[in-house]
Short mmCIF file of all heavy atoms in Angstrom, two decimals:
data_model
loop_
_atom_site.label_atom_id
_atom_site.label_comp_id
_atom_site.label_asym_id
_atom_site.label_seq_id
_atom_site.Cartn_x
_atom_site.Cartn_y
_atom_site.Cartn_z
N GLU A 221 97.39 113.58 104.68
CA GLU A 221 95.88 113.10 104.92
C GLU A 221 95.02 114.15 104.51
O GLU A 221 93.99 113.87 103.95
CB GLU A 221 95.74 112.68 106.39
CG GLU A 221 96.46 111.40 106.80
CD GLU A 221 96.16 111.01 108.24
OE1 GLU A 221 95.38 111.78 108.85
OE2 GLU A 221 96.77 110.00 108.74
N GLN A 222 95.41 115.47 104.80
CA GLN A 222 94.51 116.54 104.54
C GLN A 222 94.54 116.81 102.97
O GLN A 222 93.31 116.97 102.35
CB GLN A 222 94.94 117.78 105.13
CG GLN A 222 94.07 119.07 104.86
CD GLN A 222 92.61 118.82 105.37
OE1 GLN A 222 92.48 118.78 106.60
NE2 GLN A 222 91.62 118.75 104.61
N ILE A 223 95.62 116.60 102.28
CA ILE A 223 95.67 116.76 100.80
C ILE A 223 94.79 115.54 100.15
O ILE A 223 93.90 115.89 99.24
CB ILE A 223 97.12 116.59 100.35
CG1 ILE A 223 97.83 117.89 100.81
CG2 ILE A 223 97.27 116.44 98.86
CD1 ILE A 223 99.36 117.78 100.59
N ASP A 224 94.86 114.34 100.76
CA ASP A 224 94.17 113.33 100.11
C ASP A 224 92.47 113.53 100.39
O ASP A 224 91.79 113.21 99.41
CB ASP A 224 94.53 111.98 100.75
CG ASP A 224 95.86 111.44 100.31
OD1 ASP A 224 96.43 112.00 99.31
OD2 ASP A 224 96.47 110.52 100.97
N GLU A 225 92.24 114.04 101.50
CA GLU A 225 90.81 114.29 101.81
C GLU A 225 90.38 115.54 100.83
O GLU A 225 89.24 115.41 100.34
CB GLU A 225 90.74 114.82 103.15
CG GLU A 225 89.28 114.88 103.75
CD GLU A 225 89.21 115.25 105.24
OE1 GLU A 225 90.14 114.83 105.99
OE2 GLU A 225 88.28 115.79 105.70
N ASN A 226 91.17 116.47 100.61
CA ASN A 226 90.82 117.56 99.73
C ASN A 226 90.62 117.05 98.23
O ASN A 226 89.68 117.36 97.61
CB ASN A 226 91.81 118.61 99.80
CG ASN A 226 91.89 119.37 101.00
OD1 ASN A 226 90.88 119.29 101.89
ND2 ASN A 226 92.76 120.28 101.17
N ILE A 227 91.56 116.21 97.85
CA ILE A 227 91.44 115.57 96.47
C ILE A 227 90.17 114.83 96.23
O ILE A 227 89.42 114.92 95.23
CB ILE A 227 92.68 114.68 96.10
CG1 ILE A 227 93.99 115.64 95.96
CG2 ILE A 227 92.44 113.82 94.94
CD1 ILE A 227 95.23 114.88 95.77
N ALA A 228 89.80 114.14 97.33
CA ALA A 228 88.54 113.27 97.28
C ALA A 228 87.31 114.31 97.08
O ALA A 228 86.47 113.91 96.24
CB ALA A 228 88.43 112.42 98.51
N GLY A 229 87.35 115.38 97.86
CA GLY A 229 86.25 116.33 97.56
C GLY A 229 86.31 116.97 96.26
O GLY A 229 85.23 117.20 95.67
N ILE A 230 87.47 117.30 95.74
CA ILE A 230 87.67 117.97 94.48
C ILE A 230 87.07 117.14 93.29
O ILE A 230 86.32 117.60 92.43
CB ILE A 230 88.98 118.49 94.26
CG1 ILE A 230 89.25 119.66 95.25
CG2 ILE A 230 89.17 119.03 92.76
CD1 ILE A 230 90.76 120.07 95.20
N LYS A 231 87.51 115.89 93.42
CA LYS A 231 87.05 114.88 92.33
C LYS A 231 85.56 114.93 91.98
O LYS A 231 85.12 114.61 90.89
CB LYS A 231 87.57 113.57 92.69
CG LYS A 231 89.10 113.35 92.47
CD LYS A 231 89.52 111.92 92.68
CE LYS A 231 90.90 111.65 92.32
NZ LYS A 231 91.29 110.26 92.67
N LYS A 232 84.77 115.26 93.08
CA LYS A 232 83.34 115.14 92.86
C LYS A 232 82.89 116.14 91.83
O LYS A 232 81.83 115.93 91.16
CB LYS A 232 82.70 115.39 94.25
CG LYS A 232 82.87 114.48 95.29
CD LYS A 232 82.14 114.87 96.56
CE LYS A 232 82.57 114.13 97.78
NZ LYS A 232 82.07 114.68 99.07
N VAL A 233 83.56 117.23 91.71
CA VAL A 233 83.12 118.30 90.88
C VAL A 233 83.26 117.92 89.41
O VAL A 233 82.28 118.15 88.62
CB VAL A 233 84.02 119.57 91.09
CG1 VAL A 233 83.74 120.51 90.01
CG2 VAL A 233 83.83 120.17 92.43
N PHE A 234 84.36 117.23 89.03
CA PHE A 234 84.61 117.02 87.68
C PHE A 234 83.63 116.11 86.84
O PHE A 234 83.44 116.34 85.73
CB PHE A 234 86.08 116.55 87.43
CG PHE A 234 87.03 117.52 87.82
CD1 PHE A 234 87.70 117.51 89.06
CD2 PHE A 234 87.40 118.60 86.99
CE1 PHE A 234 88.74 118.34 89.34
CE2 PHE A 234 88.35 119.58 87.35
CZ PHE A 234 88.90 119.43 88.61
N SER A 235 83.07 115.19 87.59
CA SER A 235 82.21 114.19 86.77
C SER A 235 80.97 114.77 86.17
O SER A 235 80.32 114.31 85.31
CB SER A 235 81.90 113.01 87.73
OG SER A 235 81.28 113.44 88.78
N ALA A 236 80.65 116.03 86.85
CA ALA A 236 79.52 116.73 86.19
C ALA A 236 79.65 117.41 84.98
O ALA A 236 78.91 117.68 84.15
CB ALA A 236 79.00 117.70 87.28
N TYR A 237 80.95 117.64 84.66
CA TYR A 237 81.50 118.45 83.57
C TYR A 237 82.22 117.68 82.43
O TYR A 237 82.15 117.95 81.29
CB TYR A 237 82.27 119.52 83.97
CG TYR A 237 81.68 120.75 84.71
CD1 TYR A 237 81.54 120.54 86.15
CD2 TYR A 237 81.07 121.72 84.16
CE1 TYR A 237 81.00 121.54 86.84
CE2 TYR A 237 80.42 122.70 84.86
CZ TYR A 237 80.34 122.51 86.30
OH TYR A 237 79.80 123.50 87.12
N ILE A 238 82.86 116.59 82.88
CA ILE A 238 83.82 115.87 82.04
C ILE A 238 83.56 114.27 82.01
O ILE A 238 83.13 113.87 83.11
CB ILE A 238 85.22 116.08 82.39
CG1 ILE A 238 85.51 117.67 82.27
CG2 ILE A 238 86.24 115.37 81.45
CD1 ILE A 238 86.74 118.04 83.06
N ASP A 239 83.55 113.72 80.86
CA ASP A 239 83.24 112.33 80.76
C ASP A 239 84.47 111.40 80.96
O ASP A 239 85.36 111.45 80.13
CB ASP A 239 82.62 111.99 79.54
CG ASP A 239 82.01 110.63 79.45
OD1 ASP A 239 82.22 109.75 80.37
OD2 ASP A 239 81.27 110.39 78.31
N TYR A 240 84.61 110.66 82.23
CA TYR A 240 85.71 109.74 82.29
C TYR A 240 85.30 108.38 82.03
O TYR A 240 86.23 107.43 82.07
CB TYR A 240 86.17 109.92 83.79
CG TYR A 240 86.59 111.24 84.35
CD1 TYR A 240 85.71 112.10 84.73
CD2 TYR A 240 87.93 111.60 84.21
CE1 TYR A 240 86.17 113.40 85.14
CE2 TYR A 240 88.36 112.80 84.51
CZ TYR A 240 87.45 113.69 85.05
OH TYR A 240 87.99 114.97 85.46
N ASP A 241 84.04 108.05 81.63
CA ASP A 241 83.54 106.76 81.45
C ASP A 241 83.33 106.36 79.93
O ASP A 241 83.05 105.15 79.72
CB ASP A 241 82.34 106.51 82.17
CG ASP A 241 82.49 106.76 83.72
OD1 ASP A 241 83.52 106.33 84.23
OD2 ASP A 241 81.58 107.47 84.36
N THR A 242 83.37 107.25 79.09
CA THR A 242 83.13 106.95 77.66
C THR A 242 84.11 105.94 77.09
O THR A 242 85.31 105.85 77.53
CB THR A 242 83.21 108.17 76.86
OG1 THR A 242 82.98 107.86 75.49
CG2 THR A 242 84.54 108.95 76.97
N GLU A 243 83.69 105.22 76.23
CA GLU A 243 84.56 104.21 75.49
C GLU A 243 85.39 104.91 74.24
O GLU A 243 86.09 104.19 73.70
CB GLU A 243 83.76 103.06 75.00
CG GLU A 243 83.11 102.13 76.06
CD GLU A 243 84.21 101.58 77.12
OE1 GLU A 243 85.26 101.17 76.65
OE2 GLU A 243 83.94 101.68 78.34
N ALA A 244 85.00 106.19 74.03
CA ALA A 244 85.63 106.78 72.95
C ALA A 244 86.94 107.13 73.21
O ALA A 244 87.64 107.13 74.34
CB ALA A 244 84.84 108.17 72.69
N GLU A 245 87.79 107.49 72.07
CA GLU A 245 89.17 107.77 72.18
C GLU A 245 89.52 109.00 73.04
O GLU A 245 90.57 109.03 73.71
CB GLU A 245 89.61 108.07 70.63
CG GLU A 245 91.15 108.34 70.57
CD GLU A 245 91.51 108.77 69.24
OE1 GLU A 245 90.61 109.10 68.31
OE2 GLU A 245 92.82 108.83 68.87
N ASN A 246 88.47 109.91 73.27
CA ASN A 246 88.80 111.02 74.02
C ASN A 246 88.23 110.94 75.47
O ASN A 246 87.94 111.84 76.05
CB ASN A 246 88.29 112.34 73.32
CG ASN A 246 86.76 112.32 73.20
OD1 ASN A 246 86.15 111.25 73.23
ND2 ASN A 246 86.22 113.53 73.08
N LYS A 247 88.35 109.79 75.89
CA LYS A 247 87.88 109.52 77.41
C LYS A 247 88.85 110.32 78.23
O LYS A 247 90.12 110.27 78.10
CB LYS A 247 88.06 108.01 77.72
CG LYS A 247 87.88 107.69 79.26
CD LYS A 247 88.09 106.24 79.45
CE LYS A 247 87.91 105.81 80.90
NZ LYS A 247 87.99 104.43 81.11
N ALA A 248 88.29 111.14 79.19
CA ALA A 248 89.09 111.92 80.14
C ALA A 248 89.83 111.11 81.12
O ALA A 248 89.47 110.05 81.45
CB ALA A 248 88.20 112.92 80.87
N LEU A 249 90.98 111.73 81.51
CA LEU A 249 91.90 110.94 82.51
C LEU A 249 91.88 111.81 83.81
O LEU A 249 92.03 113.12 83.67
CB LEU A 249 93.24 110.91 82.02
CG LEU A 249 93.45 109.98 80.73
CD1 LEU A 249 94.92 110.04 80.30
CD2 LEU A 249 93.09 108.60 81.04
N MET A 250 91.87 111.16 84.89
CA MET A 250 92.05 111.81 86.20
C MET A 250 93.45 111.38 86.73
O MET A 250 93.51 110.08 87.03
CB MET A 250 90.92 111.46 87.15
CG MET A 250 91.07 112.04 88.60
SD MET A 250 90.79 113.82 88.84
CE MET A 250 89.03 113.82 88.59
N LEU A 251 94.44 112.10 86.99
CA LEU A 251 95.63 111.78 87.45
C LEU A 251 96.12 112.58 88.57
O LEU A 251 95.51 113.55 88.93
CB LEU A 251 96.77 112.01 86.21
CG LEU A 251 96.43 111.21 84.92
CD1 LEU A 251 97.40 111.67 83.77
CD2 LEU A 251 96.46 109.76 85.03
N ASN A 252 97.17 112.15 89.30
CA ASN A 252 97.70 112.81 90.47
C ASN A 252 99.14 112.85 90.35
O ASN A 252 99.94 111.94 90.11
CB ASN A 252 97.30 111.93 91.76
CG ASN A 252 97.70 112.61 93.05
OD1 ASN A 252 98.50 113.38 93.13
ND2 ASN A 252 97.04 112.19 94.08
N ASN A 253 99.81 114.11 90.47
CA ASN A 253 101.12 114.24 90.21
C ASN A 253 102.00 113.68 91.40
O ASN A 253 103.33 113.58 91.22
CB ASN A 253 101.57 115.65 89.83
CG ASN A 253 101.34 116.73 90.98
OD1 ASN A 253 101.07 116.38 92.15
ND2 ASN A 253 101.30 117.97 90.60
N ALA A 254 101.36 113.24 92.47
CA ALA A 254 102.12 112.58 93.44
C ALA A 254 102.71 111.26 92.95
O ALA A 254 103.76 110.76 93.45
CB ALA A 254 101.25 112.24 94.74
N GLU A 255 102.09 110.75 91.92
CA GLU A 255 102.56 109.51 91.30
C GLU A 255 104.05 109.54 90.82
O GLU A 255 104.76 108.61 90.92
CB GLU A 255 101.62 109.19 90.07
CG GLU A 255 101.89 107.86 89.45
CD GLU A 255 101.06 107.68 88.21
OE1 GLU A 255 99.89 108.23 88.09
OE2 GLU A 255 101.49 106.85 87.22
N TRP A 256 104.42 110.71 90.34
CA TRP A 256 105.84 110.89 89.90
C TRP A 256 106.62 111.82 90.80
O TRP A 256 107.91 111.74 90.76
CB TRP A 256 105.89 111.26 88.42
CG TRP A 256 105.22 112.45 88.10
CD1 TRP A 256 105.47 113.77 88.13
CD2 TRP A 256 103.79 112.41 87.44
NE1 TRP A 256 104.45 114.62 87.62
CE2 TRP A 256 103.46 113.77 87.25
CE3 TRP A 256 102.91 111.39 87.05
CZ2 TRP A 256 102.30 114.23 86.58
CZ3 TRP A 256 101.77 111.84 86.38
CH2 TRP A 256 101.44 113.18 86.24
N LEU A 257 106.00 112.69 91.52
CA LEU A 257 106.82 113.68 92.43
C LEU A 257 107.26 113.02 93.53
O LEU A 257 108.31 113.36 94.19
CB LEU A 257 106.00 114.99 92.62
CG LEU A 257 105.57 115.72 91.29
CD1 LEU A 257 104.83 117.05 91.71
CD2 LEU A 257 106.97 116.09 90.60
N ASP A 258 106.36 112.23 94.21
CA ASP A 258 106.68 111.78 95.64
C ASP A 258 107.91 110.88 95.81
O ASP A 258 108.53 110.89 96.81
CB ASP A 258 105.43 110.94 96.25
CG ASP A 258 104.36 111.74 96.73
OD1 ASP A 258 104.38 113.00 96.69
OD2 ASP A 258 103.40 111.14 97.32
N ASP A 259 108.33 110.28 94.73
CA ASP A 259 109.45 109.32 94.82
C ASP A 259 110.69 109.86 94.10
O ASP A 259 111.68 109.03 93.85
CB ASP A 259 109.05 107.96 94.26
CG ASP A 259 107.93 107.24 95.06
OD1 ASP A 259 107.89 107.46 96.22
OD2 ASP A 259 107.13 106.52 94.44
N LEU A 260 110.66 111.21 93.80
CA LEU A 260 111.92 111.76 93.19
C LEU A 260 113.12 111.65 94.10
O LEU A 260 112.93 111.92 95.28
CB LEU A 260 111.59 113.17 92.73
CG LEU A 260 110.78 113.39 91.49
CD1 LEU A 260 110.49 114.98 91.40
CD2 LEU A 260 111.31 112.83 90.35
N ASN A 261 114.32 111.28 93.54
CA ASN A 261 115.52 111.48 94.24
C ASN A 261 116.02 112.89 94.05
O ASN A 261 116.22 113.24 92.92
CB ASN A 261 116.47 110.37 93.68
CG ASN A 261 117.87 110.47 94.37
OD1 ASN A 261 118.63 111.40 94.15
ND2 ASN A 261 118.12 109.45 95.07
N TYR A 262 116.34 113.49 95.26
CA TYR A 262 116.58 115.00 95.03
C TYR A 262 117.81 115.23 94.26
O TYR A 262 117.90 116.14 93.47
CB TYR A 262 116.70 115.55 96.52
CG TYR A 262 116.92 116.98 96.59
CD1 TYR A 262 115.92 117.83 96.08
CD2 TYR A 262 118.08 117.59 97.11
CE1 TYR A 262 116.15 119.27 96.13
CE2 TYR A 262 118.25 118.94 97.28
CZ TYR A 262 117.29 119.79 96.70
OH TYR A 262 117.34 121.08 96.71
N LEU A 263 118.99 114.44 94.47
CA LEU A 263 120.08 114.80 93.69
C LEU A 263 120.02 114.45 92.25
O LEU A 263 120.51 115.24 91.34
CB LEU A 263 121.24 113.96 94.37
CG LEU A 263 121.79 114.36 95.71
CD1 LEU A 263 122.96 113.43 96.25
CD2 LEU A 263 122.35 115.83 95.68
#
């Protein structure tokens, strides 16, 4: 919960510097490595 809260706060910073909304080919991406790390099988 604390990590998710921190991520929500950190995300506010980036939109001032980087364009995530452009229709251009170089539209920025915002990703979270929990997407592939959280469900890893240890063995």
Side-chain angles (χ1 to χ4, degrees):
E221 288 184 3
Q222 183 64 64
I223 291 171
D224 288 345
E225 192 176 330
N226 289 351
I227 287 174
I230 290 170
K231 282 182 175 179
K232 297 175 188 175
V233 171
F234 291 103
S235 58
Y237 293 90
I238 300 164
D239 189 353
Y240 298 91
D241 299 319
T242 179
E243 295 301 316
E245 182 185 11
N246 66 336
K247 174 181 179 178
L249 298 177
M250 174 79 71
L251 304 173
N252 187 335
N253 62 17
E255 182 182 338
W256 51 82
L257 294 181
D258 275 4
D259 296 326
L260 286 175
N261 179 291
Y262 187 58
L263 288 178

